[in-house]
Amino acid sequence: MLSGDQGLPDGIGMARLAWSRLPTADGAAPLPEGPAASAPAAAAQDELFVGAVESLDYEVIENYAYREEQAQRSKFWVPYYIMLKWFFALLIGVGTGLAAIFINLAVENFSGWKFTLAFAIIQHSYFVGFLVYILLNLALVFSSVYIVTQFAPAAAGSGIPEIKGYLNGVDTHGILLFRTLVGKIFGSIGSVGGGLALGKEGPLVHTGACIASLLGQGGSAKYHLNSRWVQIFESDRDRRDLVTCGCAAGVAAAFRAPVGGVLFALEEVTSWWRSHLMWRVFFTSAVVAVVVRSAMNWCNSGKCGHFGAGGFIIWDISGGQEDYSYQELLPVAIIGVIGGLLGALFNQLTLYITKWRRTYLHKKGKRVQIFEACLISLITSTVSFVLPLLRKCSPCPELETSSGIQCPHPPGTDGNFVNFYCSKDNEYNDLATIFFNSQDDAIRNLFSAKTFHEYSAQSLITFLVMFYSLAVVTFGTAVPAGQFVPGIMIGSTYGRLVGMSVVKFYKKLNVDEGTYALLGAASFLGGSMRMTVSLCVIMVEITNNLQLLPLIMLVLLISKAVGDFFNEGLYEEQARLKGIPLLDSRPKQVMRNMNAKDACKNQKVVCLPRVSRVVDIVSVLQSNKHNGFPIVERGQNGESLVIGLILRSHLLVLLQSKVDFQNTPFPCGPGILNRHNFSDFVKPASSKGKSIDDIHLTDDELGLYLDLAPFLNPSPYIVPEDMSLAKVYNLFRQLGLRHIFVVPRPSRVVGLITRKDLLLEEDGNTATTELQSTSSLPER
């Protein structure tokens, strides 16, 4: 307890021993104590970024309320806490799997009904069938863009840049709301079912993250779908772990690739990893695999309507090329170079178009966004219907009876050789096979083995140019959009072109065109998204062909190296465009020649005295957007010493509650610390939190005082002013910090900690490995 001038045990008192005063501009004069002392100093305070983007705080706020709750926990709390983590991993896997099943069933059935109806009508009139085809696609796309613009604006796009930013320590408002989840699910059904040049895999990653976040906070309070008994994960670091599980579950559900989902979360989205988290992520992905497999077994009985072999993505090419020769390494390398070039070009074009769209188009309102999406839908439908009409049909080739391939197949069904606008029954339209078809079936046709000469080079080049252009233009519209499947379609098209050339050049080799289509798909994804390990495993899992693993690794390495020469990956470019300040895994080279003081020498630190007037606190909060304030107290020799850091959100809680106001400008007495629980200071995960404009105080209340010592963090991270900025960068990113104090080099050494000092034996009174969490049980 605080009494008079006594400090908090193990908190402020120890901070006085270790901390030095913050320097002013010349580094010598003491920081003046007053209502809101402000001086040029070597510590920076984070602010709200442009576009309502705010930093997360993964640091443990070890104030008195936190220590009290840690001391009051029983010995059964830690096992209960760990058990709940695993239980929530199970729920995330089941929820994401069910969401993926629903999306796939809806997309496949809408696509099946659309192609079945269109094909039945074109038997009598191609013009009427064309109109019906356009109107059906337009209706689906309109439903998607209307849901996004009117109900859930944060559901637009893939959502992966925002989730990557969240796991990097940046919170974008609205990305994990319940309405965002609903908009993502139903918007994906409309946009993908409407035939746009985009996929549902990226949105599924965002869907898994939303499910994980909503489960972690006990549901949605706004829509009265919440439960307090699951509200144990109240800290940013606990929610970060849950969202990581949700991302992996989304990839596992999208591609039926559980191992690929784990590696995707590790390589692409998360910035912080540990073995305990990997176990839970792996468990979540395994649950998703079981749920999706159970749904497929149920659908195989014919109870899922038009849901066929398409649906859940898996393109089995295990019956194709069984081996490869060293002579094929050159064309494989060429595919890697092409993938790097086209991937980098795709990133640059989408960046330019998205900038133009945000600057000139989307500022004109929601109606313009709806009109834009509908116009792109009309163009896409026209291209996919009219271009096959201009292509001459080809006679069906002689196929092996054991191949199971039938020629021709009607459009809208799972199979090659689509009969579209052909004069004879034994002819097929190779351009309609990939254009007038669902994307999953088109990719399966491009990957298909033992289908030599199915496609002409002219048709593949036509499709590549048109679909590439459509994918560039479609990316960035106000609909949920993923780039995995469009990237696979683009890459498999030029990969099959290279495969056709290899077949003609190496006539004696056992070369399959579908194998090169797979390598082309991997190369384009590697050149655009710059993933390597996770993408390699995903491609192996969705094709069920482990023998091609060395070739996939080769094209990924080449395509990534070529793409990195021109620009950054797709998600990094889009994150920067959206104003999400990602911290890369490595500091810039120039940071090694700078120190911490150089980085913040032009910034000002706004400090508060330990006992502050309420009116001064309100003035400070209204006059700036800082989210952390150093607390100073005058020492025995008269100089101002920093005793801790208090967050803006904590100050708002204290101002709103008003129970801690006092009449005298002296430190508080005993009993003041029992008025708050640690959970009172937790920021809601799905809202902006409190605002100073929402707090109303009378003139009498503004004249009172508030002792901030019990509520500050007495032990934030500090670094000496001459530490290299590269070391500060690594510390900030790896620990997930929001603030770091920069102080003059301390002159007194209290002790030295080595490895053996951290190897403590656990006893009945010692906290366990889960002590670092700031979660707490709700007060009952």
Side-chain angles (χ1 to χ4, degrees):
M1 297 294 181
L2 286 175
S3 177
D5 293 331
Q6 294 180 351
L8 287 173
D10 298 327
I12 299 174
M14 293 188 65
R16 288 198 187 99
L17 297 177
W19 288 23
S20 221
R21 53 185 168 79
L22 287 176
T24 55
D26 57 0
L31 185 67
E33 183 176 4
S38 176
Q45 291 164 297
D46 73 317
E47 300 187 23
L48 286 172
F49 294 99
V50 178
V53 178
E54 186 178 352
S55 294
L56 295 170
D57 197 349
Y58 296 142
E59 182 184 359
V60 178
I61 308 300
E62 295 179 335
N63 55 18
Y64 190 85
Y66 169 80
R67 297 174 187 271
E68 282 290 298
E69 292 210 2
Q70 290 290 327
Q72 293 174 3
R73 289 172 177 173
S74 67
K75 62 180 180 180
F76 300 106
W77 187 89
V78 172
Y80 170 71
Y81 172 71
I82 296 176
M83 180 190 68
L84 272 185
K85 279 189 171 183
W86 286 95
F87 178 66
F88 272 67
L90 173 66
L91 293 181
I92 293 170
V94 173
T96 307
L98 292 177
I101 293 168
F102 176 73
I103 293 174
N104 278 278
L105 286 177
V107 169
E108 286 295 308
N109 278 284
F110 277 125
S111 299
W113 294 330
K114 176 181 65 179
F115 284 114
T116 300
L117 179 60
F119 182 71
I121 295 177
I122 63 177
Q123 302 299 319
H124 308 283
S125 172
Y126 274 88
F127 180 74
V128 177
F130 171 63
L131 293 179
V132 171
Y133 178 72
I134 283 183
L135 291 177
L136 290 176
N137 283 336
L138 185 62
L140 289 171
V141 173
F142 176 80
S143 67
S144 175
V145 69
Y146 186 83
I147 290 173
V148 171
T149 55
Q150 304 295 329
F151 181 68
S158 68
I160 293 181
E162 290 84 354
I163 299 302
K164 186 173 182 177
Y166 183 88
L167 296 178
N168 193 259
V170 181
D171 185 16
T172 305
H173 175 65
I175 62 171
L176 299 176
L177 297 177
F178 177 73
R179 68 170 180 265
T180 303
L181 172 63
V182 175
K184 210 73 177 182
I185 293 176
F186 289 96
S188 299
I189 294 173
S191 61
V192 179
L196 294 180
L198 44 81
K200 56 182 178 294
E201 291 67 37
L204 266 176
V205 176
H206 194 177
T207 299
C210 290
I211 291 174
S213 178
L214 290 171
L215 286 174
Q217 65 180 349
S220 175
K222 180 178 180 180
Y223 298 99
H224 306 289
L225 300 173
N226 60 331
S227 176
R228 286 192 58 83
W229 73 272
V230 295
Q231 294 179 2
I232 186 175
F233 303 109
E234 295 179 326
S235 68
D236 286 338
R237 59 169 51 200
D238 286 330
R239 292 165 181 164
R240 172 188 61 187
D241 292 352
L242 293 177
V243 170
T244 303
C245 293
C247 291
V251 175
F255 296 102
R256 288 177 57 196
V259 180
V262 176
L263 294 176
F264 175 83
L266 172 61
E267 178 185 7
E268 187 63 20
V269 293
T270 188
S271 302
W272 189 86
W273 199 259
R274 59 177 177 170
S275 60
H276 293 287
L277 178 60
M278 176 175 284
W279 298 343
R280 290 195 298 273
V281 170
F282 185 77
F283 173 70
T284 304
S285 300
V287 171
V288 172
V290 173
V291 172
V292 171
R293 185 63 187 178
S294 301
M296 289 202 64
N297 292 335
W298 181 67
C299 289
N300 287 336
S301 59
K303 299 179 180 179
C304 298
H306 287 272
F307 184 87
F312 295 104
I313 298 175
I314 184 166
W315 303 294
D316 192 346
I317 62 170
S318 57
Q321 184 173 339
E322 298 179 355
D323 199 3
Y324 52 89
S325 170
Y326 71 93
Q327 296 175 329
E328 297 182 64
L329 295 181
L330 178 59
V332 168
I334 293 175
I335 289 179
V337 173
I338 296 174
L341 294 175
L342 290 181
L345 178 61
F346 182 87
N347 294 355
Q348 204 64 35
L349 291 176
T350 53
L351 182 64
Y352 289 150
I353 293 179
T354 306
K355 282 183 178 180
W356 176 85
R357 181 180 279 128
R358 289 174 176 269
T359 304
Y360 300 103
L361 202 60
H362 287 180
K363 286 185 176 181
K364 297 182 179 180
K366 298 178 181 179
R367 292 185 178 180
V368 175
Q369 298 180 22
I370 296 175
F371 177 78
E372 177 199 17
C374 293
L375 179 62
I376 293 177
S377 174
L378 291 175
I379 296 174
T380 304
S381 301
T382 303
V383 169
S384 61
F385 193 98
V386 173
L387 282 184
L389 294 178
L390 304 178
R391 177 64 183 166
K392 184 179 179 181
C393 294
S394 304
C396 290
E398 296 181 1
L399 300 172
E400 299 179 4
T401 308
S402 59
S403 64
I405 299 176
Q406 178 184 354
C407 182
H409 258 282
T413 60
D414 176 31
N416 305 70
F417 305 107
V418 173
N419 186 303
F420 183 81
Y421 201 62
C422 298
S423 57
K424 299 180 181 179
D425 293 337
N426 61 341
E427 292 182 339
Y428 74 98
N429 191 317
D430 59 346
L431 197 55
T433 302
I434 48 180
F435 246 137
F436 198 70
N437 219 333
S438 65
Q439 293 184 7
D440 291 348
D441 291 339
I443 295 173
R444 184 173 292 102
N445 295 337
L446 291 170
F447 281 2
S448 60
K450 300 178 181 179
T451 53
F452 296 100
H453 312 298
E454 178 182 359
Y455 303 99
S456 64
Q458 181 182 0
S459 296
L460 291 177
I461 293 175
T462 302
F463 177 79
L464 175 62
V465 173
M466 296 306 302
F467 192 83
Y468 190 96
S469 303
L470 290 173
V472 169
V473 174
T474 306
F475 188 84
T477 53
V479 295
Q483 284 306 116
F484 277 99
V485 167
I488 292 175
M489 292 191 68
I490 294 171
S492 58
T493 303
Y494 67 75
R496 186 130 188 157
L497 277 169
V498 176
M500 293 169 59
S501 302
V502 173
V503 169
K504 293 181 179 179
F505 190 77
Y506 301 113
K507 297 182 179 180
K508 296 183 179 180
L509 293 178
N510 183 22
V511 178
D512 197 289
E513 298 173 2
T515 299
Y516 283 84
L518 167 64
L519 298 178
S523 70
F524 185 82
L525 292 178
S528 176
M529 301 179 183
R530 312 294 159 79
M531 296 187 297
T532 53
V533 180
S534 58
L535 182 57
C536 182
V537 174
I538 289 174
M539 296 303 295
V540 171
E541 287 186 284
I542 64 179
T543 57
N544 194 24
N545 195 329
L546 190 61
Q547 294 177 343
L548 298 179
L549 179 61
L551 296 183
I552 296 176
M553 295 171 64
L554 178 62
V555 297
L556 285 175
L557 290 173
I558 296 176
S559 62
K560 185 182 186 303
V562 173
D564 286 338
F565 182 79
F566 295 98
N567 50 34
E568 290 186 305
L570 178 65
Y571 299 136
E572 288 76 12
E573 295 279 4
Q574 294 298 319
R576 181 180 294 105
L577 182 63
K578 294 179 179 180
I580 301 175
L582 295 179
L583 293 180
D584 297 331
S585 58
R586 294 182 300 175
K588 303 295 184 182
Q589 183 64 32
V590 68
M591 292 183 178
R592 305 190 183 279
N593 301 322
M594 300 173 61
N595 55 36
K597 187 177 181 179
D598 295 334
C600 54
K601 60 184 178 181
N602 295 325
Q603 299 175 353
K604 289 187 177 182
V605 175
V606 180
C607 299
L608 291 169
R610 169 177 173 173
V611 181
S612 302
R613 294 181 62 195
V614 175
V615 64
D616 296 330
I617 297 176
V618 173
S619 176
V620 167
L621 296 179
Q622 290 177 340
S623 61
N624 62 78
K625 297 295 184 180
H626 295 321
N627 286 283
F629 302 93
I631 305 301
V632 298
E633 185 177 24
R634 191 170 297 279
Q636 296 179 354
N637 58 355
E639 67 175 353
S640 297
L641 298 178
V642 182
I643 60 175
L645 173 75
I646 192 165
L647 299 179
R648 182 187 189 91
S649 59
H650 291 190
L651 288 175
L652 294 174
V653 171
L654 296 176
L655 292 177
Q656 188 177 51
S657 66
K658 305 178 183 180
V659 297
D660 302 293
F661 294 172
Q662 60 188 43
N663 295 318
T664 60
F666 301 105
C668 58
I672 190 70
L673 300 175
N674 296 327
R675 297 174 181 173
H676 294 280
N677 293 323
F678 187 79
S679 57
D680 296 338
F681 300 98
V682 173
K683 173 190 171 184
S686 297
S687 71
K688 293 182 179 179
K690 299 179 177 63
S691 172
I692 187 62
D693 298 328
D694 301 329
I695 298 175
H696 305 285
L697 299 171
T698 64
D699 293 338
D700 294 337
E701 291 170 339
L702 290 174
L704 299 177
Y705 294 86
L706 183 61
D707 186 4
L708 304 177
F711 314 105
L712 57 81
N713 182 8
S715 55
Y717 288 90
I718 62 174
V719 296
E721 61 182 351
D722 57 350
M723 177 182 285
S724 71
L725 190 58
K727 292 181 67 175
V728 176
Y729 183 98
N730 291 328
L731 177 68
F732 195 95
R733 186 182 187 275
Q734 293 173 8
L735 295 180
L737 303 181
R738 186 171 187 174
H739 309 90
I740 289 184
F741 277 7
V742 181
V743 299
R745 178 168 291 280
S747 58
R748 179 180 177 182
V749 178
V750 178
L752 186 67
I753 294 179
T754 61
R755 181 182 294 268
K756 66 180 182 63
D757 299 316
L758 302 176
L759 301 176
L760 301 178
E761 294 294 334
E762 182 178 343
D763 54 35
N765 298 321
T766 304
T768 63
T769 55
E770 296 291 340
L771 180 62
Q772 284 292 323
S773 173
T774 60
S775 300
S776 58
L777 284 169
E779 183 180 10
R780 301 187 183 278

